[in-house]
Amino acid sequence: MPVTATDLTDATAPAPESLDAFLLISFGGPEGLEDVVPFLENVLRGKNVPHERMLEVAEHYKKFGGKSPINDQNRELLSAVHHELRRAGVQLPIYWGNRNWEPTIADALMSMRDDGKKNGIAFFTSMFSCYSGCRQYRENIADAQKQIGPNAPTIVRLRLGFNHPSFIEAVASRLNDALAVFPEAVRGEVPVLFTAHSIPISMAENCNYVQQLTEASRLVAQQTGSANWELCYQSRSGPPQVPWLEPDICDRIEALHQQAAADGGKLDRLVILPIGFTSDHMEVIYDLDDEAASLCKSLGIEMQRAGTVGTHPSFVRMIRELVEERIGRRDGRATAGELPACEDVCPADCCTYTPTRPGRPRG
């Protein structure tokens, strides 16, 4: 039975004091060459994608040994969150489930059930509102609960942290690290290209993805004194006649290079910061560290790729503070900038989307 809007409501959300587990939910990724095709089959199951396209994406993974870094980074994040919660006196057991690879979300919920846990708090490894970054994970949870049956744990999610001060602080720290390789006198003028995964415009029209990304990028640029920044996108897929968010990162690098030449100058340095990703998974590695880096080298541009937040102490602190909010141990809802905090409970029609084509596999 398909998941419905009713399945996604939190009308019967448990009381804060009854929340008894922490659940990290992520995309998942292959652990080796033998996992690549089965992983991609999971990602693309039920979607009208040519087999040739799947094999093309498989080559991206195989180029890097077939192992996505996302799983190891999630293990590191789980360990860091565990210690951060214990340090703060929050005694919640830690679980982990993925959309497309082991351990699956259903695996995590069954472990919670078997351990006698009834009401979990989920943290999604996505900071921005859109169907694939929030609602689809909620659908995944509801589907796993249906598989398990009436004894499945209840799951509520933490609010998305795109404008949490500690997230902005973590991203700004990564940007400062990247800028530090350039002479201090020019750092404030080095072009900073923030990137996020492109999504179909039809998806973007029913969520706050662009607005939130723009605000987070602005706050990071402000905190680092970066005067020359813009938001770009990467990893788009689908037929060219279907509009996706632009500009593409490589297209924008080409345009900036040509613009500088037309003005009689030269684009000689830039920073790329994948603000839309919390870890260096395969799309970051392939699209930025391979494709964009190769382009910059060919154009004579010194490119620095800023790290994702990963297990930055400020990011881990943000997760702990969001947990404390949800369990009633923290007053107020910390935010930076001009936009309000995301809701704890999504409206019924939040981020709805009916995909006609799949997004490019991530992880």
Side-chain angles (χ1 to χ4, degrees), residues 22-211:
F22 175 91
L23 173 60
L24 180 74
I25 291 186
S26 194
F27 194 83
E31 300 273 17
L33 288 170
E34 68 280 3
D35 297 337
V36 171
V37 170
F39 163 73
L40 293 176
E41 288 173 342
N42 286 342
V43 175
L44 302 176
R45 183 171 290 115
K47 299 173 182 176
N48 184 24
V49 178
H51 186 67
E52 294 75 16
R53 172 57 180 159
M54 184 189 75
L55 295 179
E56 177 186 339
V57 176
E59 290 304 311
H60 299 171
Y61 285 84
K62 291 177 180 179
K63 183 174 182 178
F64 297 94
K67 180 179 174 65
S68 169
I70 191 173
N71 293 329
D72 283 345
Q73 294 200 5
N74 278 331
R75 292 182 183 102
E76 293 171 6
L77 182 59
L78 283 166
S79 177
V81 170
H82 171 82
H83 291 296
E84 179 73 10
L85 292 178
R86 294 300 179 274
R87 186 188 63 77
V90 179
Q91 301 297 320
L92 294 177
I94 305 289
Y95 298 86
W96 171 32
N98 294 314
R99 176 181 290 163
N100 297 297
W101 200 245
E102 299 172 353
T104 66
I105 295 171
D107 291 336
L109 296 192
M110 284 188 283
S111 293
M112 292 171 63
R113 177 203 60 190
D114 294 347
D115 291 343
K117 305 305 175 186
K118 299 183 181 300
N119 300 305
I121 312 171
F123 175 75
F124 303 161
T125 55
S126 170
M127 294 292 100
F128 302 93
S129 299
C130 68
Y131 172 74
S132 58
C134 183
R135 188 182 183 90
Q136 190 175 6
Y137 281 126
R138 294 167 57 223
E139 291 177 350
N140 298 150
I141 292 168
D143 185 62
Q145 289 169 323
K146 287 187 174 185
Q147 292 179 45
I148 295 170
N151 294 324
T154 298
I155 303 294
V156 297
R157 69 157 176 82
L158 298 176
R159 67 177 172 99
L160 301 179
F162 78 95
N163 62 347
H164 193 287
S166 295
F167 175 66
I168 300 303
E169 182 179 290
V171 181
S173 175
R174 299 301 196 207
L175 178 52
N176 278 329
D177 288 344
L179 289 168
V181 304
F182 300 120
E184 186 174 358
V186 304
R187 289 174 195 167
E189 296 300 322
V190 172
V192 177
L193 303 183
F194 294 97
T195 70
H197 200 293
S198 185
I199 60 174
I201 289 178
S202 58
M203 182 189 294
E205 287 173 342
N206 202 41
C207 63
N208 296 320
Y209 188 67
V210 175
Q211 182 187 30

Side-chain angles (χ1 to χ4, degrees), residues 175-302:
L175 178 52
N176 278 329
D177 288 344
L179 289 168
V181 304
F182 300 120
E184 186 174 358
V186 304
R187 289 174 195 167
E189 296 300 322
V190 172
V192 177
L193 303 183
F194 294 97
T195 70
H197 200 293
S198 185
I199 60 174
I201 289 178
S202 58
M203 182 189 294
E205 287 173 342
N206 202 41
C207 63
N208 296 320
Y209 188 67
V210 175
Q211 182 187 30
Q212 292 173 358
L213 280 163
T214 302
E215 175 69 349
S217 299
R218 182 187 71 82
L219 290 168
V220 171
Q222 181 182 66
Q223 192 166 127
T224 58
S226 297
N228 187 6
W229 67 272
E230 56 187 288
L231 176 62
C232 302
Y233 298 93
Q234 61 178 89
S235 314
R236 75 145 287 163
S237 62
Q241 64 269 26
V242 177
W244 283 52
L245 294 175
E246 296 177 340
D248 173 78
I249 180 64
C250 287
D251 290 345
R252 188 58 185 147
I253 292 170
E254 288 268 18
L256 289 172
H257 170 74
Q258 294 173 8
Q259 179 181 320
D263 293 340
K266 184 179 185 300
L267 177 64
D268 53 4
R269 55 177 70 95
L270 63 82
V271 172
I272 300 178
L273 192 158
I275 194 169
F277 301 81
T278 59
S279 66
D280 289 5
H281 47 104
M282 188 55 68
E283 293 205 333
V284 174
I285 301 298
Y286 183 81
D287 296 334
L288 302 184
D289 297 349
D290 190 318
E291 289 190 328
S294 295
L295 173 62
C296 286
K297 184 177 181 179
S298 72
L299 298 176
I301 302 168
E302 181 182 0

